Amino acid sequence: MKCPFCNFQESKVVDSRPANEGISIRRRRECLSCHKRFTTYETMDTLPIVVVKKNGNRQSFDRHKLVNSMLRACEKRSISLSALESAADAIEQELHNELGGEISSERIGELAMGKLKNLDEVAYVRFASVYRKFKDINSFLDELNKLLHEREK
Ligand SMILES: [Zn+2]
């Protein structure tokens, strides 16, 4: 890794710690020539996550889309973007851990619902209503009742 200050090729690692929920490693390096310090991030070369949509189409997992869909559900709620970002990190990590390499879009929706449930109940119900495409008011109420029931426990 070239030093960004003097372009010298060699450096030593002075500190190394997991970053981004363990997805990458952050390294502090010191240039062996000018002794200035800089930071590098190492990420595992993981296989892309393939999402299988309801109609059978496949596309690669789009983290951005996931964050946006959660963000929509959180409109006017006091949930920070960083909370959603870390929820998305956790979901991405879980997807990487699942075997098979192909994940249904439903599964991702379920994971997102699980995270939102812990963050904000209103956001959760909104997300669920879009995601599960509640056919009628009854299925919507069912979901609400489930939520209330869990809260009582
Ligand atoms: Zn240097």
Side-chain angles (χ1 to χ4, degrees):
M1 191 68 71
K2 264 187 194 169
C3 167
F5 306 102
C6 72
N7 281 334
F8 190 69
Q9 295 274 10
E10 281 171 62
S11 60
K12 66 173 180 187
V13 176
V14 289
D15 184 36
S16 181
R17 65 184 62 181
N20 205 354
E21 304 258 324
I23 292 167
S24 51
I25 294 185
R26 178 184 181 275
R27 295 218 152 105
R28 279 301 277 170
R29 292 171 182 271
E30 190 182 300
C31 173
L32 294 183
S33 172
C34 72
H35 302 290
K36 282 186 179 147
R37 291 186 173 190
F38 55 98
T39 306
T40 57
Y41 286 89
E42 257 169 53
T43 314
M44 221 202 308
D45 194 7
T46 42
L47 290 169
I49 300 166
V50 177
V51 181
V52 184
K53 301 207 301 184
K54 270 200 186 111
N55 61 12
N57 284 350
R58 284 166 168 75
Q59 54 183 210
S60 56
F61 171 68
D62 186 346
R63 188 178 183 284
H64 214 71
K65 229 162 110 179
L66 174 65
V67 174
N68 277 335
S69 64
M70 290 196 289
L71 204 55
R72 265 199 301 277
C74 294
E75 203 178 312
K76 294 191 180 129
R77 306 295 300 168
S78 57
I79 302 162
S80 68
L81 184 59
S82 68
L84 292 179
E85 291 280 352
S86 56
D89 283 345
I91 290 169
E92 199 173 354
Q93 184 67 67
E94 279 176 60
L95 296 178
H96 274 298
N97 291 342
E98 287 187 17
L99 298 171
E102 288 194 343
I103 315 272
S104 68
S105 53
E106 275 140 338
R107 177 82 185 109
I108 297 174
E110 298 288 335
L111 288 170
M113 276 192 270
K115 301 290 171 203
L116 285 176
K117 203 181 219 174
N118 295 330
L119 288 173
D120 186 274
E121 286 176 345
V122 171
Y124 163 72
V125 173
R126 278 187 196 153
F127 188 91
S129 70
V130 173
Y131 195 76
R132 294 207 170 128
K133 296 192 180 73
F134 291 142
K135 286 182 205 80
D136 47 51
I137 190 75
N138 285 332
S139 51
F140 181 70
L141 289 176
D142 279 350
E143 193 62 38
L144 270 184
N145 281 331
K146 250 193 272 171
L147 191 66
L148 291 172
H149 193 72
E150 275 172 34
R151 199 202 279 173
E152 277 164 20
K153 275 189 283 189

